[in-house]
Amino acid sequence: QVQLVESGGGFVQAGGSLSLNCTASGRIGSINILGWYRQAPGKERELVASFATGGMRDYADSVKGRFTISRDNAKNTVYLQMNNLKIEDTADYYCNLRTLIPTPAREFWGQGTQVTVSS
């Protein structure tokens, strides 16, 4: 039905940069939101950034000014550029797709990719 293919992530020292990509395929709907969530050990999963088909972007306060999300609608791909990474950015990052149109809304998750920031 829907497949989310993630790439990127890895290990980096604090202050460094990494990028994440996520390509969606299948019945992704005409109106949707593609984004990234993350989950650190012992913590709840939280939104990092998202990009809707209409152009609206949303960021967690903790990443504003450091992370940039962009989107290529022709490729159904969302890109997350992460700069000035901090140790607290260490987490498993998950691509997320929420389809809004057609209804009913549906939600899908990627398998996750690890980001580790060392001191």
Side-chain angles (χ1 to χ4, degrees), residues 3-117:
Q3 187 176 18
L4 300 176
V5 177
E6 302 161 329
S7 63
F11 296 86
V12 69
Q13 284 191 321
S17 299
L18 286 173
S19 62
L20 302 176
N21 298 341
C22 175
T23 298
S25 61
R27 300 178 65 181
I28 67 171
S30 58
I31 305 294
N32 59 58
I33 303 173
L34 265 175
W36 288 94
Y37 284 68
R38 68 186 180 188
Q39 187 167 19
K43 295 188 176 181
E44 293 187 354
R45 192 172 294 189
E46 62 175 2
L47 172 71
V48 177
S50 65
F51 202 139
T53 47
M56 183 175 296
R57 286 178 256 199
D58 192 19
Y59 292 94
D61 288 342
S62 60
V63 307
K64 285 179 181 177
R66 300 188 298 121
F67 291 11
T68 301
I69 191 167
S70 58
R71 178 170 176 154
D72 185 334
N73 285 329
K75 297 180 179 179
N76 295 323
T77 298
V78 66
Y79 309 92
L80 184 67
Q81 178 63 41
M82 305 182 290
N83 297 328
N84 190 21
L85 281 158
K86 302 178 180 180
I87 294 175
E88 51 264 41
D89 294 318
T90 296
D92 291 323
Y93 284 68
Y94 296 89
C95 183
N96 174 268
L97 170 69
R98 283 175 283 159
T99 67
L100 304 179
I101 300 293
T103 57
R106 300 174 299 163
E107 186 170 41
F108 302 91
W109 293 93
Q111 292 192 334
T113 185
Q114 193 168 39
V115 170
T116 303
V117 185

